Amino acid sequence: MTGAVIAMGIGLATWSGGASAAPAIVRHTATPPGLILQGVTVPAGAKMLYLSGQLAAPIGAPPPAGTPATIAQYGDTRTQTISVFEKIKALLAAQGFRMADVIKLTVFVAGDPKLGGKMDFAGMNDAFKLYFGTPENPTTVARSTVQVAALAAPQYLVEIEATAAK
């Protein structure tokens, strides 16, 4: 099964603790409380899931074969971020995790040509708020967000790596 898991872009590590219950995962809030955490403490014995960077899916049908893909076919930064979080949500569920189990995100945002090559941090954050700090998922995460020169192909504006623990 490990080969299948790695082929999907997912790494899974589990540690066994002693007979007693493992201490809880501790989310360290920022001061004052903010959109993201200052950090997270994960105790020995926690089940960990590391997701590789995920990219957006096309909005409609995939571009025809041999046709270069465009940003318009994948959407703006906000739209791509939502697409990526939906992929992450599905990958987590397939391994028995939930979005509330996510403890760390690394977000790579490419510059948007419509914004003069600057990343759309507000668009990414707007989509982030649909998945974290909500009634469905009141938790938030430790997160790093960086602008990159480019991602795997020119149509992509966002790539997100996720780490979950429970």
Side-chain angles (χ1 to χ4, degrees), residues 62-132:
T67 306
T70 66
I71 291 173
Q73 294 166 322
Y74 287 76
D76 61 11
T77 299
R78 182 182 185 279
T79 302
Q80 288 195 28
T81 303
I82 291 169
S83 175
V84 171
F85 278 134
E86 287 300 316
K87 275 186 167 180
I88 288 171
K89 191 174 182 179
L91 290 168
L92 290 167
Q95 298 298 323
F97 285 78
R98 303 171 300 131
M99 289 296 277
D101 297 320
V102 175
I103 59 167
K104 172 73 169 87
L105 296 173
T106 304
V107 183
F108 304 97
V109 185
D112 187 333
K114 291 182 180 177
L115 298 177
K118 299 213 184 277
M119 75 171 166
D120 182 4
F121 185 74
M124 184 281 301
N125 246 356
D126 189 41
F128 174 86
K129 292 176 194 175
L130 298 174
Y131 294 87
F132 299 95

Side-chain angles (χ1 to χ4, degrees), residues 135-154:
E136 181 183 320
N137 176 19
T139 67
T140 191
V141 299
R143 185 184 85 194
S144 298
T145 304
V146 296
Q147 179 170 344
V148 294
L151 292 169

